[in-house]
Structure formats: structure tokens, C-alpha cells
Amino acid sequence: MVQSAADRVFLPTKNLLEQVGDMMILTGKTLVSALRPPYPYGTEFVQQFLFMLRLCWLPLTISTIAFGYGAPGLQAGNFLVLFGAIDRLGGFFVLASIREFAPFVTAIILAGVGGTAITADLGARKIREELDALQVLGVDPIKNLVVPRFLALMVVTGLFNIYALIFGIFGGVLATLTFDAPLGPFFATLLNNASTTDLWGSVVKTTLFGAIIAIVSCYKGMTASGGAEGVGRAVNQGVVIEFLGIFAFNYVFTQTLLATHPEISVIK
Amino acid sequence: MEERRGDGGAGGPDRPLDPREWEESRGGRPGAGAGPRMTAEPERGAEDHEYHWHTGAKREHGAEDAVEFIDVVKAFGRNRVLNGLNLGLPDGQISMILGPSGTGKSVCIKHMVGLLYPDEGDVLVHGQSVPAMADDELFEMRKKFGVLFQDGALFGSMNVFDNVAFPLRQHTDKGEDEIREIVMRRLTEVGLAAAAEKMPNELSGGMRKRAGFARALVLDPGIVLFDEPDSGLDPVRTALLCELIQEVHEENGGAYCVITHDIMSARRVADYIAILWKGRIVESGPARDLFNSDNQFVRQFLSGEAQGPLGME
Ligand SMILES: Nc1ncnc2c1ncn2[C@@H]1O[C@H](COP(=O)(O)OP(=O)(O)O)[C@@H](O)[C@H]1O
Ligand SMILES: [Mg+2]
């Protein structure tokens, strides 16, 4: 009785830790496999890259504008108007959009739209035993399926981040206009506060978000079991783990970046 | 059965009944003393009450073993799928692994090609241990195999032609013309020449299976594994497929292993039969011997009757 209760509490945790361990191993194998010749994954990389672009660009555009306008734009704008400091909204957007919101929205859209598509695709192939058949025919699924997805997602997420922060700032412009404020000060404080560190920090961070999304999605897809239902479960669990992983990693990254580059904490 | 599970199952001190003794007490083990060498399974402790019918009789088939399972144990979490499996598949013959669904027949196949590894025991292919192989050895070893997976396992992103051509493009330097000729010959054999340009999701289950069949054979492999080639096919197609397996086998030789629960197919094509239940072989041997077996489980299974030791559980 006690045993089974303990099992019920600890087995899922153990299971999760085991899975995280497996994902680390998969990451290692993926990196080795990506670097070691031959490189047969070019076509698949391009296909996946275009697939992700096609899948994500519209949801991302809508989300970033709406989010940039709504959350930091109107909310912070309301607050700043109180102090007669709406001209500072641009400076706030450096903190908000470039450092946090653009990467976040990008990651959530890519995990929710792209990551799930990858898990579902690989999961279905796993269930149909396509992955087994590939292996028996001498095709390494890591090199031929995981590596191109891993690289494509990293590149796409990094690029989409720039796209997202442009549209996020556009949301800020809309918010400024809503408050009938001139745009000059918005851009002045924006450019004044933005540094190259902010920009590359943001891009590096999202690229690594892309890596997390790719590994978790591929892992969950390739280990799906239990028929169609199992694929659904894998997709669901995958996206949950991706969000947790992204939030946790974001915390670590932000802390590290602020600690190693104290100058970006100074608001000008 | 149930009472015995009560006293013996808890791992109590009382000695479990040896299945061989039990068989003998019921009037002799089938085939015992009839001449051929019989290898007996080692005794396995308290769980043996489940294994009344597992005489472990491994009748001589007069050939080398192409694939051999030695005391293989495989569990997924708490689910012990293979539990001390001993099995040899003769080279140059068509073997059949029979067993109720969910007993781990597909798991067996995956052990042979190194997609799954045993928790205990060993799997030998032409005398080489599969679990002990390094990645590149495994890669080489897999070239010996042709595998037809349960649902065909066609690659969804390629049409039927490219699916069947895939092993040729992957493992040989043949030119496109030669590949086209070989692939079309194989597709004609399975009656899919007209469907060469179709995508897998446009095919019926039976057609996918036949395409998978063509793909498994396209490299003329030395060991061919068929996972339920006959499930989901109509009786006529099943008969034709069985005939095709025999024809191809006569042409190419090698060890063919067919997994099925269709007794008719077994009667038609099997040279050698192994019956798998509860993670072990009940009996294995030349088809003729098994169809005349005294073992009640074997008889029930091979005649497909409701009466007998095999229930719904
Ligand atoms: N990869 C796996 N993970 C967990 N359980 C599995 C896996 N593969 C098979 N099983 C379990 O092993 C048992 C036997 O499966 P299988 O070999 O497919 O049976 P069958 O004899 O019908 O082919 C089933 O109970 C199945 O749930
Ligand atoms: Mg099966």
C-alpha cells in the first residue's frame, strides 16, 4: 500500500528525470551527428525551414503586434501617461520587447505551432513503424530526421525573433499613437537604450529556445507509443515540457546576461 | 490453475511443479524418446505454474540456426513480454512464429534486427551476438535482413515506387534503369504495378502490406522477417501471398520467418513452427511434428478451438 502510494508519487518524477536525461543524450548525439560527415540532411533542412516559415509567419505576426500593442504598449503607456512620461515608452520597449516579449512570443508560437507539428509528424511515423523501417534500411533517424529539424528550428526561431521584435515595436508605435503622443521621443528613447548586447542576447536566446523546442519535439515524437492516442499524448506532453524548459532556460539566460553585462541594466 | 497461482505465485517455499514432470505424469511428453535431440528449457523457479504447457521441446530441424534467442528476457516497465525465450530459426527454411496477439511476436522481430535489446540473454544472428554489436557492425548486419512490418511501414512522403526503390538506392550503386526494372518486377509480383505512382495514404491496408512485401524482398536478403503479412487480407489474397512467399523462398533460399496467427497460412507454407505464449516457446519443431503434437495447448492453438488451456485472459 505504502509502496504503491510512493510509486504513484515518485514514479512520474523519476520518469520525467529519466526523460530529461534521455533528451540530454539526444542533444549530444544530435550535435555529434550534425558535425560528423557525411551531411545528407541538406534537403530535409531546407524543407523543414520552409515548412516552419509557412506554418508560423501569420500566427507570429498577429501575436506580436497584438501583444506588443496590448501588453507593454497600452498597459505601460497608461502608467507612463500618469507621470507625463509617455516619451519613455520607447525605452521601455527595449526591456520589454527586445529582451523578453519578442523571444517569448516567438518561442511560444514556435513551440505551439511548429513543435507540435514536428511531434505529430514523427509520432505518426513512429506508430506506423516507419522509423523502425528506416533504421533497418540503414538510415540513421538522428542524422536524417532530428539534425535537420534541430538546425532548421534554431535558424527559424532566431530569424523569427527579429521579425517579432520589429512587429512588437510596431505594436508600441500603435500604442504611442493611441495616446496621441508624437513618435519622435519613442524612437529616441528606444535607440538610446538599445544596445547591440540586447540584440544579440535576444537572438542567441531564441536560437537556443529553438534548440529546446526541436529536441523535445523530436524526442517526444520518436518515443510515442500506443497508437493514435499515443501521438496525441506525445504532442501534449511535448508542448508542456517545451514551455517549462523555455521558462526555466529564460530565467537562467536573463540572469546570466544581466550579471555578465551590468551596463544593460542602466536605464538611460 | 487459479488455485495453483494462489500457493505457488507468491514465491513460497514449496517447490513448483516442473513442467516436464507434469507432462510425463499425463502420459508422456510428446515426441519424447522418438529419436530426435530435444533440448529442454532450464527450470525457472516459482512462476513455472504458468508454464504447464511449455514443454520447451525444441525438435531438431536438421539445419543451422540463422537466428537464435537464448534465454531472452524483455520487460517494458512491469510488463514482462519475453520471459526466458529460447528459439532457433533454421536457415534455408520458412519458419513461423505463431501466438495469440499481444504475446510479443513483433517484439521478437525487433530483437533480431537490433531495434530492441534484451534485458537478459542473447540474440544471435548467424552466430553473432546482436546486443554486443557496435553501431557500424549493426548497420552491416541489418543489410542481411528484409523486414515487412506489421502495417507495411511505407514512407508516407514517397510513392510506392520510391518506397520499393529505397533499399536499392540506399545500399547499391545500381543505375536508375536497373532499379526501375527490379522494382517494377517486384511490384508486378505483388500485383501493384499499376499503383506504382500512388502515395501510401491512397492505398488500402492490404495494398500497403504488399508494397511493404516488395520492399522487404527487393535486395534479395538472406533473412526475411514478415510480421503478420496475412492480417487484413482476404482469404484469396492470403493464399496468393503464401504462395508468393514460397515461390520467392524457393528462388532465393535463406531463412524466412513469418509471424502470423493464421493457422491456414501455417499449414500451407511453414517448414518449421514455433508457438509463443507468455513470453516463451510452448513448443517448436518441424511443422509436421507440431501438427501431430500431443500437447493440448498446441493442439488447441493449431486447430483454433475454444476448448482448452488458452482462455480469454
Ligand atoms: N516499445 C514498447 N514499449 C512498451 N511496450 C511495448 C513496446 N512494444 C511492445 N510492447 C508491449 O509488448 C507486448 C507485445 O507486443 P507485440 O510484440 O506487438 O505483440 P504481438 O505478438 O501482437 O506482435 C504488448 O503488451 C505491448 O504493449
Ligand atoms: Mg505484432
Side-chain angles (χ1 to χ4, degrees), chain A residues 126 129 223-226, chain B residues 74-77 79-82 99-110 116 150 227-228 259 261 276:
Chain A
K126 164 75 183 166
E129 295 181 306
T223 54
S225 67
Chain B
K74 177 71 184 178
F76 296 103
N79 179 9
R80 262 187 171 225
V81 178
L82 302 181
S101 35
T103 39
K105 301 183 299 293
S106 302
V107 170
C108 276
I109 281 201
K110 288 181 183 165
L116 288 174
Q150 201 156 346
D227 196 347
E228 307 202 4
I259 281 180
H261 42 229
L276 179 68

Side-chain angles (χ1 to χ4, degrees), chain B residues 168-181:
Chain B
L168 291 168
R169 291 182 179 145
Q170 188 70 18
H171 289 307
T172 68
D173 312 320
K174 291 187 170 40
E176 275 306 304
D177 290 343
E178 200 179 343
I179 288 180
R180 172 154 288 275
E181 189 216 305

